Amino acid sequence: MPRPAHRLMLAAVALTAATAATTVVVVLPAAPAKAETLQADRQPDRQPDRSGGRKGAQPASHRLVGTWSASTTRLAAALGDQTVRMVVRTSVGGTGMRIRLSNLFGSAPVTFRGVHVGIQAYGAEILMGTNRPVTFGGRESVTIGSGRAVWSDPIPGKISGGSDVVVSFHVPGNVQGVTGHERAYATTYLSEPGDFAADEAADGFTYTSTQWYFLDRIAVGAPKTTRSVVAFGDSLTDGAGQSTDANRRWTDYLYHRLVRLPANRRMGVLNAGIAGNRLLHHDAGPRGVGRFRRDVLTQPGVGTVIVYEGINDISRGYYTSAAPLIDGYKRLIKMAHARKVRILGGTLTPFFGFGTWTEEREEIRQQVNKWIRTSGAFDGVIDFDKAVRDPEFPEQLAPAYDIGDHLHMSDAGRRRLAYTVDLRRL
């Protein structure tokens, strides 16, 4: 039976939310503009969702660039006439912000009412005067069919990079089989029955979750030279090991580096990690080779993708060689090059001491890493393995980078991954 989105409505567990307030001037109410409804195949892991963002009302000198994303799947969750309030952090700043709501994995249409966007003050509270209505084709509500996703109208005004954007909407009726992201590592706030989306106060929100629901992309208008980089992977990219609301994924640390560059060199940083995901087999979410087009190549303004996925295939699989994984990487490379997207390969990091490690699996990891380093198939190599392994015992993580399970990384380890990326290759 699907669980309610707030982890059982009658017995929710309160989580702390200590995200600092961000003083950013947002956006005036959106002027009506034609909504963009995006059809996706009923088997979205096998077909690209046609979700390239339109420029809408952007100036001719600008284009739509992704500033935040989350890869989605079907959650064992349910909503019952509730308001959802989520907090996400932008990367690159820009104008005419647009959000995308997705029902790609739903089995029935879902209606969203009273959609609002503001800036977080603290917890579920919104900075006074920033909570603004969002329209879809000029309307204040939108119904999204199964297998579809919809971009909002552009919201006039500017949004800064690093803003803690709050997206609120009311979902009337009962919805089961929610499209969303399982491990947000961020607090989502849910209300008692009713529409509280326009409220800047937090009073109506009595439950919490650590999932994101329906929201999967945010984009902004930026100069035509601005691009985004997508990090494609599993829990190591998704952010396993960080505290809730910490924003310490390795992609967050990468953004910290990029924001220090001159304005004309900054990029959007998009996280396409799914904890437990595998490159070749459906497990936690659609398999990587199936979701790559949708989660990477249809992102607005994508210029580069970093592939850091495959350790779950090795640690949970029964391969006798690296050949299947190498074939999978070649498929990703072919797809990226067909879209003129630069693709960088990240070597797979150690997992000696993790419960599924064996000598045979270690040998396959070494074969995969040798191919990534020497084949020349990727447009560039990021040697994550070399960066975080123990110099005295390279089959395992260095102690400072190990969160304790010998697979996932500490804050220092995730930061080390980000600082291993050569920004000139992006």
Side-chain angles (χ1 to χ4, degrees), residues 3 17 28 39 50-51 60 72 109 136 174 177 179 193 202 344 368 385 397 421:
R3 65 189 177 201
L28 300 173
Q39 178 65 51
R50 295 166 178 81
S51 57
T72 56
F136 298 81
N174 295 311
T179 294
L344 308 179
V368 168
D385 171 48
L397 290 170
V421 177

Side-chain angles (χ1 to χ4, degrees), residues 337-370:
H337 286 168
R339 297 290 186 94
K340 301 187 185 305
V341 171
R342 182 174 177 80
I343 181 167
L344 308 179
T347 53
L348 303 182
T349 44
F351 71 113
F352 176 85
F354 191 69
T356 60
W357 186 93
T358 65
E359 291 183 359
E360 293 76 16
R361 287 168 171 161
E362 176 64 22
E363 177 60 28
I364 292 173
R365 186 181 75 89
Q366 296 292 348
Q367 291 173 13
V368 168
N369 283 349
K370 181 178 180 180

Side-chain angles (χ1 to χ4, degrees), residues 298-370:
T298 64
Q299 294 281 1
V302 59
T304 304
V305 54
I306 300 171
V307 175
Y308 177 36
E309 180 161 60
I311 200 65
N312 288 328
D313 295 77
I314 294 173
S315 69
R316 299 177 188 175
Y318 297 94
Y319 301 110
T320 58
S321 77
L325 277 165
I326 291 171
D327 288 343
Y329 293 135
K330 288 178 178 178
R331 291 175 64 181
L332 302 189
I333 293 166
K334 183 177 180 180
M335 286 187 279
H337 286 168
R339 297 290 186 94
K340 301 187 185 305
V341 171
R342 182 174 177 80
I343 181 167
L344 308 179
T347 53
L348 303 182
T349 44
F351 71 113
F352 176 85
F354 191 69
T356 60
W357 186 93
T358 65
E359 291 183 359
E360 293 76 16
R361 287 168 171 161
E362 176 64 22
E363 177 60 28
I364 292 173
R365 186 181 75 89
Q366 296 292 348
Q367 291 173 13
V368 168
N369 283 349
K370 181 178 180 180

